[in-house]
Amino acid sequence: MTSSHSSLASLAGRRVFLTGHTGFKGGWTTALLRRLGAEVCGYALPAASTPNLAALGNIGGLLAQETLADIRDAQTLSRAMHQAQPDIVIHMAAQALVRQSYIDPVETWSTNVMGTVNVLEAARSVASIRAIVVVTTDKCYENRAWEWGYRETDPLGGHDPYSASKAATELVAQSYRKSFFSDTGTLLATARAGNVIGGGDWSADRILADAARAAAAGEPLVVRNPLATRPWQHVLDCLSGYLTLAGALWAGDQAAASAFNFGPDSADNVSVGELLDRLGRHWPELRWRHETGPVLAAPHEAAYLYLDSSRARQALRWRSRWTLNEAVQKTAEWYRAVEQEPAAAASLMVDQIDEYLQ
């Protein structure tokens, strides 16, 4: 049985190769790893949005090594990983947007599937690596629109190219674990989390990013599906799960070399409209409205999704530390403060990480 606290503490002094460090989750992961005492070597494309967390949070300044390149570039990726000689690999880089996957499915499949193959191929030849966490998504399950949580043993699937590519990524990881890592001393696991919120997400087609842009412009946020229900959680809750898993693998916990859900408690599985109403209590500038019509015509997205995280609670002793109300408050505080003073972004991240770890 692994303790979440001991797993996080074991990351101090470890060298972590992190893909996707310029993204929202990747930026917070970099900052959290540094506060835990780990060294981080980042590999990612340049940040895609303006503004972005990588720049505002000075994420590059936290890195021991940085490579700005595509995970589909197998040669550059392998060279960077060999140079880093990491103890742990955390693979987050991905094409992570459902709507974008309809626009360019080839990019989505090549990035998410072959990009993961490239990461695992590179890791096979680096002897220092003892633990690998491949991050996928709650959308990797065959969505049956039922009201109970999906478990790690439920069938994988995916209606849209993004979800299906992440289900395929799970199969890639499973295959590599059985075929190439079972006798090497390197443990490999996958991590599936829900919809995360937190300061610094400015990606396209993300509810918080769209809300921040609308609030800054003094305009109401137009919502296409306020009844869609998701497992919302603060980004630090999600990342503490990933890093607890990484620490367990590093410690040699064979039972942790599997798939894990890291989702919130059932009470925090709420609709988009409910999430925005709660945000509005802490973010007076945020207004939203529901609008239908051709301008908002959109491809299929699941209406209901919930994760059962019993395995993570029992095997890793992990659970969400912040309720949805706390997550909403921290998120609203971050965006409002950074809107007033962009230079405060990095210190706000540190403050919220320290408060979370307490």
Side-chain angles (χ1 to χ4, degrees), residues 61-125:
L62 301 177
L63 299 172
Q65 173 187 317
E66 182 177 35
T67 305
L68 296 178
D70 198 313
I71 55 171
R72 291 174 292 183
D73 182 347
Q75 185 175 11
T76 300
L77 175 61
S78 180
R79 187 185 310 118
M81 198 180 295
H82 277 82
Q83 181 181 348
Q85 289 294 301
D87 305 303
I88 298 168
V89 172
I90 300 176
H91 175 40
M92 288 186 175
Q95 193 302 98
L97 301 173
V98 171
R99 285 161 68 88
Q100 176 62 24
S101 77
Y102 283 105
I103 295 169
D104 194 344
V106 173
E107 175 202 28
T108 299
W109 282 97
S110 61
T111 299
N112 294 350
V113 178
M114 288 310 301
T116 300
V117 170
N118 290 340
V119 169
L120 297 180
E121 274 295 294
R124 286 178 61 194
S125 60

Side-chain angles (χ1 to χ4, degrees), residues 196-212:
V196 298
I197 62 174
D201 186 1
W202 281 286
S203 300
D205 289 324
R206 294 268 179 81
I207 189 67
L208 261 294
D210 291 343

Side-chain angles (χ1 to χ4, degrees), residues 25-310:
K25 278 187 180 180
W28 278 96
T29 302
T30 301
L32 178 55
L33 281 167
R34 292 297 295 128
R35 295 304 281 176
L36 292 170
E39 290 188 9
V40 185
C41 300
Y43 186 102
L45 291 171
S49 66
T50 302
N52 62 76
L53 186 62
L56 286 175
N58 187 32
I59 300 305
L62 301 177
L63 299 172
Q65 173 187 317
E66 182 177 35
T67 305
L68 296 178
D70 198 313
I71 55 171
R72 291 174 292 183
D73 182 347
Q75 185 175 11
T76 300
L77 175 61
S78 180
R79 187 185 310 118
M81 198 180 295
H82 277 82
Q83 181 181 348
Q85 289 294 301
D87 305 303
I88 298 168
V89 172
I90 300 176
H91 175 40
M92 288 186 175
Q95 193 302 98
L97 301 173
V98 171
R99 285 161 68 88
Q100 176 62 24
S101 77
Y102 283 105
I103 295 169
D104 194 344
V106 173
E107 175 202 28
T108 299
W109 282 97
S110 61
T111 299
N112 294 350
V113 178
M114 288 310 301
T116 300
V117 170
N118 290 340
V119 169
L120 297 180
E121 274 295 294
R124 286 178 61 194
S125 60
V126 180
S128 62
I129 297 170
R130 283 176 44 184
I132 304 171
V133 175
V134 174
V135 174
T136 64
T137 177
D138 55 358
K139 297 175 182 65
C140 70
Y141 293 104
E142 180 183 337
N143 194 300
R144 300 178 180 178
W146 55 35
E147 295 184 0
W148 51 88
Y150 291 92
R151 297 167 296 179
E152 292 86 349
T153 53
D154 284 327
L156 301 173
H159 182 287
D160 57 88
Y162 167 71
S163 300
S165 74
K166 284 298 194 174
T169 298
E170 286 280 348
L171 295 177
V172 167
Q174 181 184 102
S175 171
Y176 268 77
R177 178 168 52 239
K178 294 178 178 178
S179 300
F180 303 116
F181 292 117
S182 61
D183 300 320
T184 65
T186 300
L187 298 181
L188 168 62
T190 57
R192 309 162 181 176
N195 287 49
V196 298
I197 62 174
D201 186 1
W202 281 286
S203 300
D205 289 324
R206 294 268 179 81
I207 189 67
L208 261 294
D210 291 343
R213 282 187 284 265
E219 300 174 350
L221 171 67
V222 178
V223 179
R224 63 180 181 266
N225 191 359
L227 297 180
T229 301
R230 296 287 185 269
W232 307 100
Q233 63 191 146
H234 193 273
V235 63
L236 289 175
D237 265 327
C238 159
L239 300 183
S240 74
Y242 298 169
L243 299 189
T244 295
L245 178 57
L249 297 172
W250 164 259
D253 185 350
Q254 296 281 342
S258 182
F260 283 89
N261 290 337
F262 296 102
D265 293 337
S266 58
D268 293 336
N269 210 67
V270 303
S271 70
V272 170
E274 172 66 16
L275 173 74
L276 292 172
D277 286 342
R278 295 193 192 194
L279 271 169
R281 297 167 195 163
H282 304 281
W283 199 349
E285 301 87 351
L286 175 60
R287 295 173 292 117
W288 70 275
R289 72 171 190 270
H290 179 208
E291 185 172 311
T292 59
V295 69
L296 289 179
H300 172 273
E301 290 190 60
Y304 189 88
L305 189 57
Y306 175 54
L307 291 176
D308 183 332
S309 301
S310 300

